[in-house]
Amino acid sequence: MFEEQVTRVKITSLLILVGMGSMLAAVSTDHWAVLSPRVEKLNTTCQAAYFGLWRLCKKTIFMVEEDPEWKGCGPISLPGDKNCSYFKHFTSGEEAELFEVKTQKEYNISAAAIAIFSLVFMTLGTLCVIFSFGKGRDYLLRPAGMFFAFAGLCIIISVEVMRQSVKRMIDSDETIWFEYYYSWSFACACASFTLLILSGVALLLISMPHMPRNPWETCMDAEPDTLD
């Protein structure tokens, strides 16, 4: 592998590390979206919710004053008691809760499964990049680029599934949720998509055969024909 090519791979690896960190933060945390009911009166408690790929957390907040930019319960950063449940552990309850559980199970199982595929592709791409530093193994950069591009595509599909989950819950008349916003875990997932796609494309370009800078380089490097 040429020294210039090694330098390019190392620079691309830094982008990959940041993208991997962003993806791991997004997949392992619960702050993809925050849901809030309408607050009718102050000096009372209300319950907001936030969730990720694996569980939904509900936080009881005591509302003292109204935020002019936020008509719902919260913000979620206010102190309060929280209760988190993994989606597979939900039990039956009121009609609104049943709809919420069913909706979140359907969408989150799909989003989590796609995110797992993304992690698998990311792991395979990382292994290919590590082994490509060996002598004569630069051909591994091409599958590495494809794996990272696939990982980026999977995580953005997972993001879209979660976005549809939030939209369905807000639009439904069977739930209490009135306001929503996407939180920092969602932003990490979007950032990882951008970084992994760019890294994958960069590795594919680096792995392409070297093109001569001048048209006559090919003619100069060619071996002369010998006469019999």
Side-chain angles (χ1 to χ4, degrees):
M1 186 185 295
F2 298 105
E3 183 178 352
E4 182 181 359
Q5 192 178 37
V6 173
T7 303
R8 292 176 180 175
V9 173
K10 289 181 178 179
I11 294 174
T12 306
S13 298
L14 294 178
L15 292 177
I16 292 173
L17 289 176
V18 177
M20 291 172 60
S22 299
M23 179 184 290
L24 292 175
V27 171
S28 61
T29 54
D30 304 318
H31 294 266
W32 282 63
V34 177
L35 306 173
S36 172
R38 183 190 295 272
V39 175
E40 302 293 345
K41 56 182 179 178
L42 300 177
N43 296 321
T44 185
T45 58
C46 60
Q47 195 173 61
Y50 59 94
F51 65 94
L53 295 175
W54 316 107
R55 62 180 188 171
L56 181 139
C57 299
K58 293 184 178 181
K59 190 172 186 179
T60 303
I61 301 172
F62 185 79
M63 294 293 295
V64 178
E65 58 182 9
E66 184 178 1
D67 188 344
E69 297 181 358
W70 178 252
K71 302 300 182 181
C73 180
I76 201 70
S77 57
L78 291 176
D81 297 329
K82 68 176 182 179
N83 180 26
C84 298
S85 299
Y86 288 93
F87 291 110
K88 64 180 181 179
H89 294 155
F90 279 128
T91 56
S92 60
E94 298 178 358
E95 184 177 356
E97 290 290 322
L98 286 172
F99 178 84
E100 177 184 312
V101 169
K102 182 180 179 181
T103 301
Q104 288 305 109
K105 273 190 174 182
E106 291 175 354
Y107 281 92
N108 281 67
I109 288 175
S110 301
I114 297 170
I116 290 174
F117 278 111
S118 183
L119 292 174
V120 172
F121 285 132
M122 189 174 65
T123 302
L124 293 174
T126 302
L127 293 175
C128 288
V129 170
I130 292 174
F131 288 121
S132 70
F133 287 102
K135 187 176 181 180
R137 295 179 180 175
D138 55 331
Y139 61 88
L140 290 174
L141 293 177
R142 187 169 299 175
M146 296 178 64
F147 284 136
F148 283 119
F150 290 153
L153 290 175
C154 286
I155 196 64
I156 199 62
I157 293 174
S158 183
V159 165
E160 178 60 21
V161 172
M162 294 291 283
R163 196 181 70 83
Q164 292 297 326
S165 170
V166 173
K167 185 176 182 298
R168 181 178 174 185
M169 294 180 66
I170 292 296
D171 292 342
S172 174
D173 295 331
E174 300 181 47
T175 61
I176 61 174
W177 309 122
F178 171 70
E179 295 275 1
Y180 76 96
Y181 64 88
Y182 299 108
S183 193
W184 59 269
S185 299
F186 188 89
C188 286
C190 294
S192 67
F193 158 72
T194 303
L195 293 172
L196 292 176
I197 286 291
L198 290 177
S199 301
V201 172
L203 289 177
L204 290 174
L205 293 176
I206 293 172
S207 65
M208 292 178 64
H210 173 68
M211 299 297 292
R213 296 180 181 179
N214 299 312
W216 53 84
E217 283 187 8
T218 304
C219 298
M220 296 292 293
D221 294 338
E223 297 182 359
D225 296 334
T226 57
L227 298 176
D228 294 336

